[in-house]
Amino acid sequence: MKRVEFLDGLRGLAALYVIVQHVPLIISPELAAPQSIKPFVLYGWTGVELFFVISGYSLTMTMPSHDKSPQPMVSYAISRLSRIAPLFYVLIAYNIAVMWLLHDQTFALSRVIKSALFVFNLFPSDANGIVGASWTIGVEMLFYAVFPLVYFAARDVWRALAISLFAVVASNLFFHLFSTSAGPDFAPYRSVSIVTFLNAFVLGIAAYWASQTLSKRTNHESLGTFLTMLGIAGISWLAVNPKGLPFFYPSQSSGLFYALMVIGLGLAPWKIVANPVLQFYGRICYSMYLWHPPVIFALEPLLHKIQRLGYSDTTTLFLCYTIVFAVVSVVAMVSYHLIEIPGLKLGQRLKRTISAARSPPMTKLEPAE
């Protein structure tokens, strides 16, 4: 299926926004962000929620192509696994090797197995995974597992919105009931759990159906511009009001406004988002996301040298951003071509092989007498 330019642009924007937050926070001591932009820097973690909304949107958009295949669920499962597993397994091996060789530490076999099977987000004590920032992969893969059921139930915008609201209510009830009886790992689990973020994925599904409906209106472009601006205004407000919306957990508030942005840009794409640079980063966003923590850790001595030069907070942060983005871009581009693309091609070959094996043999016709 042809890539959708505004979705690639948004993926690139989401990946860059996550790194914007992580650069000053991952290293120790942390880099100081100027007060004028600090709320927006710290709100960069919501880039992952934008990823979740985009996932719900794009999965809904591409599901009909799987439905046309001889084995729809097999086609869907292989597509998801070939997209995520190869690079993730490389990073698991990388982290195990680094912790063993450089820090003389090992991971429990149970944690490695949970990560390899993509079920680690179901365990509060292991929800962060053994790969840096990989809690989102645990969330994403669990949603992939239930998406066919959600897709079947949320076949229009109103059903999707109802399911999203139910997910919010259910998550609040779940953590209220178990917060006092669960162990010490349960409280931070709420910020990284599939239970918390399920509504963001379903909002992405609702955004797709809303885009399909609203695109038929004669004023869809002006409506799209309005929704995009409304979404940006909402995200900006949340950045300076981190408690979020009433009734919503702070980690759930941004999903609604990101969904408005996705709908709006689907109706009227902005060139500033659907541009070649962000589209490039959108294509390599998965490698960028998984490789940026180890790259930042590797660059930490250099970043501290820049920190000690005595420049202003703004200049120091800009220089550190420049270096990190440059190195992460190169590493991600190499990773994309050497790991991601071969993995996707392997998935395509596997789907063709399975389809051919399951197709009924052609009956040889006898010549007419």
Side-chain angles (χ1 to χ4, degrees), residues 93-166:
Y94 172 86
N95 273 35
I96 291 174
V98 167
M99 294 301 292
W100 179 43
L101 296 174
L102 299 185
H103 304 284
D104 196 26
Q105 296 181 15
T106 58
F107 293 101
L109 180 59
S110 61
R111 290 190 65 188
V112 177
I113 293 174
K114 290 172 187 175
S115 287
L117 295 178
F118 298 105
V119 296
F120 56 97
N121 192 262
L122 296 175
F123 302 87
S125 61
D126 297 325
N128 285 306
I130 63 176
V131 175
S134 68
W135 69 268
T136 60
I137 308 303
V139 170
E140 191 97 22
M141 291 300 281
L142 290 178
F143 177 71
Y144 289 164
V146 301
F147 171 74
L149 294 176
V150 180
Y151 174 76
F152 177 79
R155 298 305 291 265
D156 60 56
V157 63
W158 298 114
R159 293 180 187 179
L161 287 174
I163 294 172
S164 178
L165 181 59
F166 173 79

Side-chain angles (χ1 to χ4, degrees), residues 78 345-359:
I78 292 175
K345 289 181 177 178
L346 177 62
Q348 291 295 330
R349 290 196 297 271
L350 185 58
K351 285 197 290 186
R352 288 195 296 267
T353 300
I354 292 175
S355 295
R358 301 214 174 189
S359 297

Side-chain angles (χ1 to χ4, degrees), residues 160-336:
L161 287 174
I163 294 172
S164 178
L165 181 59
F166 173 79
V168 172
V169 174
S171 69
N172 287 338
L173 182 61
F174 175 80
F175 286 103
H176 175 73
L177 291 176
F178 292 99
S179 59
T180 55
S181 59
D185 296 314
F186 197 75
Y189 179 57
R190 186 168 191 177
S191 298
V192 295
S193 171
I194 177 62
V195 179
T196 300
F197 290 101
L198 181 60
N199 82 300
F201 291 100
V202 186
L203 281 173
I205 297 174
Y208 176 78
W209 295 126
S211 297
Q212 294 297 105
T213 300
L214 296 176
S215 64
K216 299 173 184 177
R217 299 180 58 164
T218 56
N219 65 335
H220 68 273
E221 290 189 354
S222 57
L223 180 59
T225 299
F226 170 75
L227 292 175
T228 301
M229 295 179 67
L230 182 60
I232 293 173
I235 293 299
S236 301
W237 180 82
L238 287 173
V240 295
N241 295 275
K243 289 186 177 180
L245 300 172
F247 185 69
F248 286 80
Y249 187 66
S251 298
Q252 298 172 323
S253 299
S254 59
L256 177 61
F257 294 108
Y258 280 133
L260 291 176
M261 288 175 56
V262 171
I263 297 171
L265 291 170
L267 297 174
W270 290 9
K271 290 184 179 180
I272 196 173
V273 174
N275 69 73
V277 174
L278 285 181
Q279 288 173 49
F280 163 75
Y281 281 115
R283 287 190 293 273
I284 66 171
C285 65
Y286 181 43
S287 283
M288 285 188 66
Y289 182 78
L290 283 189
W291 279 113
H292 83 269
V295 167
I296 294 174
F297 280 124
L299 292 173
E300 188 170 6
L302 176 59
L303 300 182
H304 283 318
K305 286 183 179 180
I306 295 173
Q307 195 177 23
R308 292 192 294 267
L309 291 176
Y311 294 124
S312 67
D313 291 344
T314 302
T315 302
T316 299
L317 192 60
F318 175 77
L319 290 173
C320 291
Y321 277 145
T322 301
I323 293 170
V324 171
F325 282 134
V327 177
V328 169
S329 298
V330 173
V331 171
M333 184 169 56
V334 173
S335 171
Y336 175 72

